[in-house]
Amino acid sequence: MSETTTNTTELTSQYSTQVAGDLERNLKEQERVQGEIEALQGQLSALQQDQTVLVNIQQALGVPAAPAEPELNPEPEAVAAVPAPRKRKTAAVPAAGKQARAGKSSAPARKRVGKKTAAASPAAKSPSTKLVDLVRDHLAGLNEPRSAAEIATSLEQQHPEREFKAKIVRLTLEGLVAKNQAQRTKQGRSVFYTTPEATEAAQQDEPAEQQPA
């Protein structure tokens, strides 16, 4: 009986020591967690105060209010309110409806696109005439020299669908002069352009007009 009592006493002493140690560690862990909670609460309080100050500044500046702040610590029941399989089933029906509506709306869209491309195809087949060709042809139809601004104005009247800038027309005329396809004459500060044929005809007419005199 004495040995049994001794063994029981030793086991009780071991368990008591172990329980005392576990209890001490538990209390220290609680203190650590409580300290972290207090620190987080302090941070949350500071953030809330900053939010109040920023909202007041925002309202004073007349800036639209920010969206509603997210809900903190949502309930687990609200998060898992709808099971995942049920979500997939309910989402499949609207998706099918959307595909059907998309299929119906795509056909008229293709028809409209087809009409637009058909209407635009004749314009695409007819290439626009180059500016140098328009300027050269216009010079050929002139009986007297014209300035670059006058030629640009005449071209705009003949081709209202295009834009003719005097500076670009002048550069085009200078290019024709460099190729001996146009003649440049200067009267004071003004520069006039004509075709070489018209210039030669004007030079031949001057002696003929001077002979009777």
Side-chain angles (χ1 to χ4, degrees):
M1 294 294 292
S2 60
E3 292 181 357
T4 303
T5 304
T6 302
N7 292 334
T8 303
T9 304
E10 290 178 355
L11 289 174
T12 302
S13 177
Q14 291 178 0
Y15 283 125
S16 298
T17 303
Q18 183 176 355
V19 169
D22 292 342
L23 181 60
E24 184 179 2
R25 286 192 296 271
N26 184 280
L27 292 175
K28 289 182 179 180
E29 187 68 16
Q30 288 185 25
E31 291 178 359
R32 184 186 66 81
V33 173
Q34 185 66 27
E36 291 182 355
I37 292 175
E38 291 177 357
L40 291 174
Q41 287 179 347
Q43 293 179 6
L44 178 60
S45 178
L47 290 174
Q48 290 175 346
Q49 291 177 0
D50 293 344
Q51 181 187 10
T52 303
V53 173
L54 292 173
V55 169
N56 292 335
I57 295 174
Q58 190 179 48
Q59 292 176 354
L61 294 175
V63 180
E69 59 184 22
E71 182 181 359
L72 298 177
N73 298 329
E75 295 296 333
E77 292 80 2
V79 176
V82 181
R86 189 178 302 172
K87 279 187 178 180
R88 288 195 294 268
K89 289 181 181 179
T90 53
V93 176
K98 289 181 180 179
Q99 290 178 356
R101 289 194 297 271
K104 291 181 181 179
S105 61
S106 61
R110 285 195 295 269
K111 290 182 181 179
R112 289 194 295 269
V113 173
K115 289 182 180 180
K116 289 182 179 179
T117 52
S121 58
K125 290 181 180 179
S126 58
S128 58
T129 308
K130 293 181 179 180
L131 177 61
V132 63
D133 296 333
L134 292 175
V135 173
R136 187 189 300 110
D137 295 340
H138 186 74
L139 281 178
L142 295 177
N143 296 326
E144 57 184 7
R146 295 289 180 88
S147 64
E150 293 174 342
I151 294 174
T153 302
S154 300
L155 288 174
E156 285 184 353
Q157 294 175 356
Q158 296 175 4
H159 306 277
E161 74 281 357
R162 298 183 61 171
E163 182 181 3
F164 298 90
K165 294 184 178 180
K167 184 177 181 180
I168 304 300
V169 173
R170 185 181 298 107
L171 292 176
T172 305
L173 289 167
E174 291 295 335
L176 293 175
V177 171
K179 296 178 182 178
N180 293 327
Q181 297 179 4
Q183 189 74 26
R184 177 179 56 190
T185 57
K186 192 173 183 181
Q187 299 179 6
R189 294 184 179 181
S190 301
V191 179
F192 298 90
Y193 300 90
T194 185
T195 57
E197 293 81 3
T199 303
E200 293 177 0
Q203 292 176 354
Q204 292 177 0
D205 291 341
E206 288 179 359
E209 292 177 357
Q210 293 175 0
Q211 286 179 359

